[in-house]
């Protein structure tokens, strides 16, 4: 009896260690994908359109709230440490760039998207879309707020509310809406594979 208990406990510990290692590998993969996504971009005035949003939403949907947010946070910290993985380089000075708020928003968005996905009894395209659009709202809300504060009160390059809304939302959001839809379909197909 005690021998069986010991064997089961050992197997359980190995399983937990294996699960943790797998989580870290997936986290590293998404950190790398977010970095690569920064360089796949379409030039749009003020805030360039990239594939970062796609990978941050997928990180939340596939890894869950905690590990999804961690993968984005690691990306953010590596960029601030000096690795040129942001759309315009890297370094701690990047916090003074008005567009840095979107990177903070990615972290928040990945967490909330992941949390919503975790609460789904049965994952559906509609559920994933709702989670992604919630993440989209948070990313743009954080990004625009940060952009306005840094531009007007830190670097003294004033921007009005209407130009901010035009360049940082109206011109940028259509592409990210398409990415929300793509992420929902990808998550629906990939998540069962990861679970198995």
């Amino acid at each position: 009896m005690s021998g069986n208990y010991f064997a089961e406990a050992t197997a359980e510990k190995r399983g937990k260690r294996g699960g943790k290692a797998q989580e870290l590998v997936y986290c590293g993969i998404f950190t790398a994908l977010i970095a690569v996504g920064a360089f796949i971009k379409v030039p749009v005035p003020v805030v360039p359109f990239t594939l970062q949003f796609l990978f941050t939403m997928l990180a939340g949907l596939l890894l869950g709230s905690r590990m999804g947010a961690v993968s984005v946070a690691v990306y953010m910290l590596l960029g601030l440490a000096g690795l040129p993985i942001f759309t315009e380089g890297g370094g701690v000075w990047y916090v003074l760039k008005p567009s840095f708020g979107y990177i903070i928003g990615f972290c928040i968005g990945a967490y909330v998207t992941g949390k919503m996905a975790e609460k789904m009894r049965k994952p559906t395209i509609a559920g994933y879309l709702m989670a992604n659009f919630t993440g989209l709202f948070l990313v743009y809300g954080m990004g625009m707020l940060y952009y306005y504060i840094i531009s007007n009160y830190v670097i003294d390059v004033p921007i009005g509310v209407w130009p901010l809304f035009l360049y940082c939302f109206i011109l940028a959001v259509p592409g990210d809406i398409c990415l929300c839809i793509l992420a929902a379909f990808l998550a629906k197909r990939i998540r069962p594979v990861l679970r198995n």
Side-chain angles (χ1 to χ4, degrees):
M1 180 77 175
S2 60
N4 286 342
Y5 175 78
F6 178 74
E8 286 173 13
T10 305
E12 189 178 335
K13 281 182 184 175
R14 279 188 195 142
K16 282 182 180 175
R17 275 200 295 266
K20 289 280 184 190
Q22 195 174 43
E23 276 187 345
L24 290 173
V25 169
Y26 288 149
C27 187
I29 288 170
F30 272 97
T31 298
L33 286 172
I34 295 163
V36 169
F39 297 98
I40 304 171
K41 56 187 174 183
V42 176
V44 175
V46 184
V47 180
F49 170 73
T50 72
L51 291 187
Q52 286 176 300
F53 179 72
L54 171 66
F55 295 127
T56 56
M57 292 300 99
L58 282 173
L61 294 177
L62 299 176
L63 304 184
S65 57
R66 187 174 57 86
M67 293 308 292
V70 165
S71 66
V72 183
V74 169
Y75 163 75
M76 182 168 60
L77 292 173
L78 288 173
L80 291 176
L83 290 180
I85 55 175
F86 295 147
T87 52
E88 295 178 51
V92 72
W93 63 272
Y94 216 87
V95 296
L96 296 177
K97 283 194 70 63
S99 59
F100 184 71
Y102 288 91
I103 297 174
I104 299 170
F106 289 152
C107 196
I108 298 167
Y111 180 83
V112 172
T113 301
K115 187 60 79 175
M116 291 179 71
E118 288 166 358
K119 290 184 177 178
M120 291 180 201
R121 289 180 186 169
K122 186 179 178 185
T124 62
I125 297 289
Y128 287 143
L129 278 173
M130 187 175 293
N132 287 342
F133 284 126
T134 302
L136 180 75
F137 175 78
L138 292 169
V139 169
Y140 274 86
M142 184 69 211
M144 291 171 67
L145 178 64
Y146 195 91
Y147 201 106
Y148 186 84
I149 291 170
I150 295 293
S151 292
N152 288 292
Y153 303 108
V154 179
I155 61 173
D156 198 27
V157 183
I159 185 169
V161 173
W162 168 245
L164 177 77
F165 189 71
L166 174 64
Y167 290 115
C168 297
F169 183 77
I170 294 175
L171 293 178
V173 80
D176 285 333
I177 289 173
C178 293
L179 293 182
C180 281
I181 297 167
L182 177 60
F185 280 92
L186 287 174
K188 179 69 175 169
R189 286 184 169 268
I190 297 171
R191 195 172 181 186
V193 177
L194 290 183
R195 295 292 175 191
N196 294 332

